[in-house]
Amino acid sequence: IAGLGKFRWATAAEIVAATVNQHLAVDENIYQLGSEPQFYVLTQRRAPGVLSAYGWLIGPLIKQISERVMTEFDHNPPELVIAQPELLPRTAAHPLFAWLNGWFIEHYERVPIADNLRINPDYMPFVLFVRKGSDLQKRWIAETRVAPARSGLPIAASTLP
């Protein structure tokens, strides 16, 4: 992926979508914490209510949209979350900050993306998380023979510069 320039995002999205399609069962759902709603098309999954990070990052409805995201997770927790680290809140004043550093890391665990490919993580704009204790988590580990990358949120706002 390194050196692909303007094609980096499209190529990375295709790699992630292929990885998701390889592991997810038909009845399992995803949530994209970021601004790339094409994952719902590429994986043929139904999109939740909030499709883009921009509503919770900027504008007058940050609090309301952040609350809606948290409610969506409470009511229908996805088996898999695709996150874009640069689009997650970075300050404690943001409504999603405490949720990401608390509830989210208690319920989700990072997993490798396309572990059979040599991808420099510095060039992968997405990170995948599976719901802890889910059938998907068990299958992912069994199918990849790789334990989760590390517990918690490697892109937690508290660890960002």
Side-chain angles (χ1 to χ4, degrees):
I1 293 181
L4 292 177
K6 66 182 179 179
F7 300 106
R8 176 177 160 230
W9 283 90
T11 303
E14 290 170 2
I15 290 169
V16 170
T19 301
V20 168
N21 286 332
Q22 175 186 352
H23 294 289
L24 255 66
V26 175
D27 61 340
E28 293 174 328
N29 58 354
I30 66 170
Y31 196 100
Q32 207 277 317
L33 274 174
S35 66
E36 303 300 319
Q38 78 265 26
F39 283 115
Y40 300 107
V41 174
L42 293 171
T43 62
Q44 299 179 2
R45 306 287 167 169
R46 186 179 185 106
V50 177
L51 290 179
S52 177
Y54 297 113
W56 74 67
L57 285 176
I58 57 173
L61 300 175
I62 290 173
K63 183 178 181 196
Q64 293 88 338
I65 293 173
S66 295
E67 288 172 359
R68 186 169 174 187
V69 168
M70 292 181 277
T71 299
E72 288 172 354
F73 271 81
D74 280 342
H75 293 317
N76 190 22
E79 280 77 19
L80 182 77
V81 176
I82 303 167
Q84 284 176 262
E86 76 278 1
L87 292 180
L88 296 178
R90 297 170 189 232
T91 66
H94 193 284
L96 286 177
F97 182 90
W99 179 78
L100 284 168
N101 286 289
W103 186 92
F104 188 84
I105 62 172
E106 290 175 16
H107 293 85
Y108 287 86
E109 190 161 45
R110 185 177 177 189
V111 292
I113 297 174
D115 55 279
N116 59 329
L117 299 173
R118 293 180 182 257
I119 299 173
N120 180 338
D122 294 336
Y123 296 104
M124 178 53 73
F126 309 106
V127 181
L128 299 182
F129 297 89
V130 295
R131 189 164 38 92
K132 292 178 181 179
S134 67
D135 289 340
L136 175 61
Q137 181 191 35
K138 295 170 191 154
R139 281 196 322 274
W140 201 294
I141 292 170
E143 291 170 5
T144 62
R145 294 188 178 91
V146 176
R150 64 178 154 172
S151 184
L153 189 65
I155 51 178
S158 61
T159 63
L160 293 173

